[in-house]
């Protein structure tokens, strides 16, 4: 895509220079980048580029009076592990149009979770997540029970992933320190991945 953009930009610039050369005697002048002087043909060159309409590798090339590109479409690309995948298009008039179906999205999520082990951070809150009571010394996920864990166990069985339960420090969902701006609790865990 970057190569196509460069090609279109150079093509437009060359056409603008040719049109300028055909319409006037182009004088080359020496300018300093840090200076305040401008090339006498600069405005003419910009005006031509604003008026042009031509097909390019990146779609229709056309600009508005402010010099912003109009009437063009963009591909929406998703970065995946093996490659980039086009998942839709975007244009100014209609916005985003996703071409990937719900089934495609669901399959990608399911395939991506299979045989993975997720770390599940949680805060104790009965009846959702509680420590199991009893005389036996339990370890790992077996130490905990509750509605959320029943749900998580069922989801992991269906989607074929594993998980490790990790209680959040201080049993805090998370709040932001007004002085330092830092989060604590579960929010901190998520931000630190």
């Amino acid at each position: 895509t970057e190569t196509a953009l460069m090609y279109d930009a150079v093509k437009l610039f060359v056409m603008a220079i040719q049109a300028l050369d055909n319409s006037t005697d182009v004088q080359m002048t020496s300018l300093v980048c840090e200076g305040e002087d401008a090339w006498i043909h600069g405005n003419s060159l910009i005006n031509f580029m604003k008026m042009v309409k031509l097909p390019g590798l990146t779609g229709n090339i056309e600009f508005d009076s402010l010099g912003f590109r109009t009437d063009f479409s963009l591909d929406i690309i998703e970065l995946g592990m093996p490659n980039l995948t086009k998942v839709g298009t975007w244009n100014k008039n209609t916005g985003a149009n996703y071409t990937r179906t719900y089934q495609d999205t669901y399959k990608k999520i399911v395939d991506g979770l299979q045989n993975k082990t997720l770390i599940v951070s949680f805060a104790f809150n009965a009846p959702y997540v509680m420590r199991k009571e009893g005389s036996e010394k339990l370890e790992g996920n077996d130490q905990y029970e509750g509605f959320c864990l029943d749900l998580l166990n069922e989801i992991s069985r269906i989607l074929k992933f594993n998980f490790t339960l990790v209680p959040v420090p201080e049993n805090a969902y998370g709040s932001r320190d007004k002085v330092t701006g830092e989060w604590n609790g579960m929010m901190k865990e998520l931000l630190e991945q």
Side-chain angles (χ1 to χ4, degrees):
T1 304
E2 288 178 18
T3 305
L5 283 170
M6 284 297 278
Y7 176 86
D8 284 351
V10 171
K11 179 179 177 182
L12 178 62
F13 184 72
V14 168
M15 288 179 66
I17 291 289
Q18 287 173 339
L20 186 64
D21 191 41
N22 291 338
S23 63
T24 186
D25 181 24
V26 177
Q27 300 295 317
M28 303 307 289
T29 54
S30 179
L31 296 172
V32 180
C33 292
E34 293 80 18
E36 295 181 9
D37 294 336
W39 188 38
I40 57 170
H41 303 297
N43 282 336
S44 300
L45 189 66
I46 289 169
N47 287 334
F48 174 81
M49 292 172 85
K50 285 181 182 177
M51 292 185 301
V52 76
K53 293 181 183 181
L54 67 123
L57 294 180
T58 58
N60 186 52
I61 300 173
E62 187 176 345
F63 299 91
D64 63 16
S65 60
L66 297 173
F68 291 105
R69 193 164 170 189
T70 61
D71 193 26
F72 70 103
S73 295
L74 298 174
D75 288 342
I76 300 172
I77 305 294
E78 181 181 81
L79 175 60
M81 288 304 286
N83 55 20
L84 295 170
T85 307
K86 180 178 173 180
V87 295
T89 58
W90 178 92
N91 72 52
K92 190 175 179 180
N93 298 328
T94 61
N97 177 30
Y98 289 93
T99 53
R100 188 170 55 192
T101 65
Y102 171 79
Q103 286 79 11
D104 293 336
T105 305
Y106 181 80
K107 185 178 183 327
K108 186 173 178 60
I109 292 168
V110 170
D111 290 348
L113 282 174
Q114 283 188 3
N115 302 317
K116 297 270 172 49
T117 299
L118 306 179
I119 296 173
V120 178
S121 180
F122 70 91
F124 289 103
N125 186 2
Y128 306 105
V129 184
M130 303 167 291
R131 192 175 297 277
K132 281 185 186 172
E133 293 183 14
S135 57
E136 289 182 60
K137 180 161 173 52
L138 301 171
E139 294 187 2
N141 292 353
D142 293 336
Q143 303 173 71
Y144 314 110
E145 64 182 348
F147 173 74
C148 284
L149 299 186
D150 292 343
L151 197 58
L152 185 55
N153 278 314
E154 188 63 14
I155 292 170
S156 69
R157 185 188 64 76
I158 294 167
L159 299 182
K160 298 177 178 63
F161 67 86
N162 302 306
F163 61 91
T164 302
L165 294 168
V166 180
V168 71
E170 301 167 20
N171 205 48
Y173 287 104
S175 59
R176 192 172 193 174
D177 187 296
K178 291 179 181 176
V179 178
T180 65
E182 291 185 4
W183 288 88
N184 67 4
M186 200 177 297
M187 288 300 297
K188 182 179 181 179
E189 299 276 309
L190 290 168
L191 289 168
E192 292 181 354
Q193 301 181 15

